[in-house]
């Protein structure tokens, strides 16, 4: 279970019967990046801060993922953590005929299988005992065409993943195969 890092009433409400527990969802990849490659880089070359795959990610309520570029970036950050569906990644690879780009180039933190991420916008949920609040779609930008390949931005419209806030401390781990 996670430590209560925010108001007990808020956590208690999340642990009610209406809070989805994503027990059948698999975490296939976890990624963090120490810096921004694209933010503030319009018209310039990206910086060299690739997302790196990790086996576990320490989530800190209200602050983000330890070691990630968004950790403590600003109060009430909408994207303290981002989720992306592996099914979308695989579909995009097939549709665009691109098979040499790892999921990490999409610069999301948690790559899951078996989750309807869109349904979690505006919802509280638990994954591996860590509490989250889904905030909004993680909308793709024009950099996706450079990072993944031509057509990626258009393909990802409406399925770019989920931005969420971390509500309870805990550690996410990749799922065993």
């Amino acid at each position: 279970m996670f430590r209560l890092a925010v108001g007990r009433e808020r956590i208690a409400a999340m642990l009610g019967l209406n809070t989805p527990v994503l027990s059948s969802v698999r975490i296939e990849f976890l990624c963090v990046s120490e810096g921004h490659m694209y933010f503030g880089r319009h018209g310039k070359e990206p910086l060299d801060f690739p997302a790196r795959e990790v086996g576990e990610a320490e989530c800190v309520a209200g602050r983000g993922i330890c070691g990630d570029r968004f950790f403590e970036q600003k109060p009430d950050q909408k994207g303290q953590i981002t989720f992306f569906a592996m099914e979308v990644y695989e579909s995009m690879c097939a549709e665009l005929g691109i098979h040499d780009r790892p999921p990490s180039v999409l610069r999301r933190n948690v790559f899951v299988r078996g989750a309807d991420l869109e349904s979690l916008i505006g919802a509280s949920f638990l994954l591996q005992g860590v509490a989250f609040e889904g905030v909004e779609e993680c909308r793709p930008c024009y950099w996706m065409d450079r990072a993944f390949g031509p057509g990626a931005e258009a393909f990802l419209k409406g399925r770019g993943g989920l931005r969420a806030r971390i509500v309870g401390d805990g550690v996410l781990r990749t799922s065993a195969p």
Side-chain angles (χ1 to χ4, degrees), residues 31-89:
C31 296
V32 297
S33 179
E34 296 173 356
H36 296 285
M37 284 181 65
Y38 304 111
F39 279 22
R41 305 297 302 165
H42 180 69
K44 301 175 187 171
E45 287 297 306
L47 297 174
D48 189 23
F49 289 108
R52 62 183 171 83
E53 190 177 334
V54 295
E56 62 182 40
E58 183 180 352
C59 300
V60 181
R63 296 170 62 195
I65 300 172
C66 290
D68 190 63
R69 64 200 179 278
F70 289 108
F71 188 73
E72 294 187 323
Q73 183 174 359
K74 62 183 179 180
D76 211 27
Q77 172 77 21
K78 291 180 182 180
Q80 294 170 353
I81 189 167
T82 55
F83 295 85
F84 194 84
M86 286 301 296
E87 295 87 349
V88 171
Y89 168 76

Side-chain angles (χ1 to χ4, degrees), residues 1 10 36 42 50 55 97 110 115 119 121 131 134 142 144 148 158 166 170 177:
M1 205 60 175
R10 189 171 179 188
H36 296 285
H42 180 69
V110 185
S119 73
I121 295 172
Y142 66 89
M144 286 293 178
F148 187 82
I166 301 170

Side-chain angles (χ1 to χ4, degrees), residues 106-119:
L106 301 174
R107 304 200 50 87
R108 304 302 190 254
N109 300 121
V110 185
F111 292 83
V112 296
R113 183 174 301 280
D116 177 3
L117 296 177
E118 187 176 314
S119 73

Side-chain angles (χ1 to χ4, degrees), residues 94-108:
E95 173 93 9
L96 300 179
I98 298 172
H99 303 282
D100 63 345
R101 300 285 193 278
S104 60
V105 301
L106 301 174
R107 304 200 50 87
R108 304 302 190 254

